[in-house]
Amino acid sequence: MPAFYKQLYINNFFFYCIMGIIALFIVSFFLPMFYNAAWYLLVLLVAFTTIDILLLFASGKKVTASRLTPEKLSNGDDNSITIHLQNYYTFPVLIKAIDEVPYQFQQRHFEVSRKIKTQTKDSYQYFLRPTERGEYTFGKLNIYVSSPLRLISRRFIYEENQMVPTYPSYIQLKKYDLMAFSNNLFQYGLKKIRRIGHTMEFEQIKEYVQGDDIRTINWKATAKRNQLMVNQFQDEKSQNVYMLIDKGRVMKMPFNGLSLLDYAINATLVLSNVILKKHDKAGMLTFSKKVENIIAAEKRQSQMQQIMENLYNIKTDFFESDFSRLYVDVKKNINQRSLLMLYTNFETLDGLHRQLPYLKGMAKNHLLVVVFFNNTELNELIHKKATTVQEIYDKTIAEKFAFEKRLIVNELKKYGIYSVLTEPEQLTLDTINKYLEIKARGIL
C-alpha cells in the first residue's frame, strides 16, 4: 500500500475539475437549480478518478524507460543522451519524463512530454555540454504516465544514480584523427605548408592528387603510366614531442564556459594522437609550483590511454607557476632534442620578461613553441564603437593589452622561440598547424 501512494500523483486537470464543481456549488447557493447538477458532476468525477486509477494500477509495470549515455562524456562538447520509452498499456498514454541531470549543469526543470500509442516504442534525445572534468552522476529518471482521462498519474523510477566520467574532448580526437594525412587539410582550416627541399628518405611513387608538390613529379613514371605520378618522401620519424601544460592560476581564466587549462588539455589530447599517427613520440608534463604528471615520450600502443588518464586528473592549484622549476626538470629529464609545446598565458610584456631567462634556457637545447591566448572578450571591446568617455577609456585599455600580446610574439621571436597566439576556440587547429609546419620544414 505505501508503494501505491508513492506512485500516485494527481494531475492539474483533476484540480481544474474540482474548482469548476466548487464554483458550481457556489452558484447553486444563489440559483438552486444547479445544486443537483453540481452533485452529479462530483459523483462523476469520483467515478472517472476511480476508473483512471484502475486503468493505471490494475497490473504491474506497463511502461519501461532507459537512459542511454556515452561510456564517458567529452568535455566542452555536446554529448548526446537518449531516453528510450516502451508503452505496454492497451491504450495510448501521455508521458512526462523528468530526468535528474547532474548538478554540475544546474538545470532544475528538465522535462519532456510525449504521447505514445498502444504497444509502441518511442525515444527522444537531448544534449549536455560539460565544462569540467570529473564524475557526473545522473539522478532518477522519473516517468509520469497518464491515461486519456488525464486525472491521475502513475510514477515510475528508472536508472537511479548512474555515474558517467567526463574526460578531455575525445570527440575532437575522433574529428581530427585523420587530419594529418588528408590531402584536403584546408577544409578543416589547416594551412598548406611549403616544404623546404627534400632531405627526407624516398618512400614510393604514387598517383598525383590535388595538393601534391608539382616539383616531385616523376616524369619517367608519368610517361610509362600515361598519367601524372609523383615521388613520395618519408618524413623523419621517432622525434620527441612534449606538451608542457601550465596549471597555475593564469590558466583558470574562463572562456565560453571552459577554462584555459581545459582548452589546453583538449588540444594536448588531439595533438598527441596526431603525433603518434605521424610515428613520432608523444609525451607530456604539467607544472605549477612543481612538475607533475610526467609521461616520457614514447609511441607505444598504450601511450594515448596513458596520456588521457593523466589529463583526466589535472586540476589547477591557483599558485604562481614556477618556470625555474620547469627549466630544471626539463634539463634533467629530457636529454634528447625535442619539440616542446608550452601551453601557458602571458598578459603583459613584464610578465614574459620575468620568465624569459628560463624560456631561453629551454630553447638552447630544444625547439620551444610557446602557446598563449588572445583575450576574445577584449576583442569585443576593441571592435565596439565607443560613445562615452568611459567606453573610450575601456577601448583604449583593451587595445593596449592586445598590442602587448603582439609585442610578446616579437619578443619571443627575437630569441629564436616560436610562438602560437591563438583564440581559445582555435587552439587545437592552430597547434596542429604549428606541429605540421615544423615537421614539413624539418627544423626539429
Side-chain angles (χ1 to χ4, degrees):
M1 207 62 176
F4 167 77
Y5 288 115
K6 287 183 179 180
Q7 294 182 11
L8 179 63
Y9 282 81
I10 300 175
N11 289 340
N12 290 337
F13 183 60
F14 177 88
F15 292 106
Y16 296 151
C17 294
I18 285 290
M19 287 188 291
I21 292 171
I22 292 173
L24 193 59
F25 271 112
I26 294 173
V27 171
S28 68
F29 181 79
F30 302 100
L31 302 172
M33 67 182 72
F34 292 110
Y35 182 73
N36 289 334
W39 274 107
Y40 289 140
L41 289 175
L42 180 60
V43 171
L44 202 60
L45 177 62
V46 172
F48 276 117
T49 301
T50 304
I51 293 171
D52 203 4
I53 292 174
L54 290 174
L55 286 173
L56 293 174
F57 289 87
S59 57
K61 290 188 176 181
K62 289 291 188 175
V63 169
T64 59
S66 61
R67 181 198 299 119
L68 182 62
T69 64
E71 183 179 346
K72 51 183 178 287
L73 300 179
S74 178
N75 193 28
D77 299 311
D78 289 329
N79 297 265
S80 170
I81 311 296
T82 305
I83 304 297
H84 294 287
L85 304 167
Q86 171 79 56
N87 176 22
Y88 293 103
Y89 282 105
T90 56
F91 50 84
V93 295
L94 299 171
I95 287 181
K96 181 171 72 173
I98 301 178
D99 197 2
E100 297 178 359
V101 299
Y103 71 88
Q104 289 94 334
F105 297 103
Q106 294 296 300
Q107 297 188 31
R108 295 290 180 265
H109 303 286
F110 205 86
E111 63 180 63
V112 174
S113 298
R114 314 284 287 187
K115 183 175 182 179
I116 306 180
K117 296 180 180 178
T118 306
Q119 303 290 328
T120 58
K121 297 179 180 179
D122 194 9
S123 63
Y124 69 90
Q125 191 177 53
Y126 65 90
F127 295 90
L128 295 175
R129 181 180 181 266
T131 56
E132 298 176 1
R133 285 162 289 113
E135 295 183 351
Y136 285 62
T137 302
F138 288 83
K140 300 173 183 177
L141 175 57
N142 302 281
I143 306 297
Y144 296 87
V145 182
S146 301
S147 73
L149 296 176
R150 299 175 61 187
L151 296 170
I152 300 297
S153 290
R154 182 180 179 183
R155 185 177 77 163
F156 299 93
I157 298 175
Y158 298 95
E159 306 287 356
E160 189 173 357
N161 295 328
Q162 182 181 4
M163 195 280 289
V164 182
T166 297
Y167 275 75
S169 181
Y170 65 87
I171 290 180
Q172 287 189 35
L173 182 65
K174 295 176 181 178
K175 177 181 177 182
Y176 300 124
D177 195 17
L178 299 177
M179 185 173 288
F181 312 100
S182 171
N183 289 310
N184 298 307
L185 294 177
F186 59 87
Q187 293 179 359
Y188 298 90
L190 293 183
K191 298 178 288 187
K192 300 296 290 183
I193 305 300
R194 178 176 176 266
R195 295 182 181 271
I196 308 253
H198 291 295
T199 59
M200 298 158 288
E201 293 184 8
F202 172 80
E203 184 176 16
Q204 65 175 345
I205 300 174
K206 69 178 188 70
E207 294 181 8
Y208 174 85
V209 295
Q210 184 181 2
D212 284 337
D213 190 346
I214 60 174
R215 296 173 300 168
T216 63
I217 293 176
N218 187 316
W219 295 108
K220 288 185 179 180
T222 297
K224 288 181 181 179
R225 294 288 300 272
N226 199 26
Q227 61 179 356
L228 284 175
M229 306 293 291
V230 295
N231 294 328
Q232 187 173 14
F233 295 90
Q234 188 178 62
D235 289 335
E236 189 176 348
K237 299 178 181 179
S238 298
Q239 294 178 307
N240 290 345
V241 183
Y242 281 88
M243 277 67 68
L244 317 180
I245 303 175
D246 183 354
K247 60 177 185 178
R249 62 169 173 257
V250 297
M251 297 294 281
K252 192 60 179 175
M253 188 181 297
F255 286 94
N256 195 21
L258 288 178
S259 67
L260 295 182
L261 178 62
D262 283 310
Y263 281 110
I265 287 171
N266 291 344
T268 295
L269 182 66
V270 176
L271 182 57
S272 298
N273 187 54
V274 173
I275 290 166
L276 294 172
K277 295 287 186 181
K278 296 286 283 183
H279 304 287
D280 282 333
K281 299 176 182 179
M284 63 160 284
L285 59 84
T286 64
F287 71 98
S288 179
K289 288 187 71 175
K290 57 182 180 178
V291 176
E292 299 175 309
N293 305 104
I294 302 174
I295 300 178
E298 297 287 349
K299 58 176 180 180
R300 55 192 175 193
Q301 292 183 349
S302 61
Q303 191 75 351
M304 273 304 299
Q305 184 62 31
Q306 189 177 358
I307 290 174
M308 180 178 284
E309 292 298 332
N310 273 267
L311 293 174
Y312 172 73
N313 292 313
I314 293 175
K315 303 289 184 184
T316 182
D317 54 16
F318 299 101
F319 288 112
E320 181 75 24
S321 298
D322 189 350
F323 279 77
S324 63
R325 183 65 182 269
L326 173 66
Y327 167 69
V328 171
D329 276 74
V330 166
K331 189 173 182 179
K332 178 182 176 181
N333 297 316
I334 306 178
N335 300 318
Q336 185 179 349
R337 178 174 169 80
S338 306
L339 169 60
L340 306 180
M341 303 289 291
L342 173 59
Y343 295 93
T344 185
N345 197 34
F346 296 111
E347 290 294 338
T348 64
L349 202 56
D350 290 336
L352 171 68
H353 283 150
R354 286 197 298 270
Q355 315 301 345
L356 195 55
Y358 309 114
L359 299 180
K360 288 160 60 178
M362 288 187 286
K364 285 182 181 178
N365 301 316
H366 305 282
L367 182 62
L368 178 62
V369 178
V370 177
V371 183
F372 61 112
F373 300 89
N374 259 324
N375 192 325
T376 53
E377 294 181 1
L378 289 183
N379 290 341
E380 295 177 6
L381 280 175
I382 292 171
H383 295 102
K384 181 181 177 181
K385 185 177 180 181
T387 56
T388 65
V389 174
Q390 181 63 43
E391 288 177 352
I392 293 172
Y393 175 77
D394 292 341
K395 184 173 182 178
T396 303
I397 296 300
E399 289 176 344
K400 176 183 179 295
F401 277 110
F403 180 67
E404 284 217 37
K405 292 281 187 179
R406 295 192 292 272
L407 289 179
I408 291 171
V409 172
N410 292 332
E411 190 72 9
L412 290 170
K413 187 176 181 181
K414 189 164 62 175
Y415 296 102
I417 301 173
Y418 291 83
S419 63
V420 176
L421 177 59
T422 180
E423 296 179 357
E425 294 83 358
Q426 296 297 318
L427 176 62
T428 301
L429 280 174
D430 289 342
T431 51
I432 294 176
N433 260 329
K434 180 57 70 173
Y435 166 71
L436 294 179
E437 177 186 351
I438 290 170
K439 290 292 292 182
R441 296 187 184 278
I443 57 178
L444 177 55

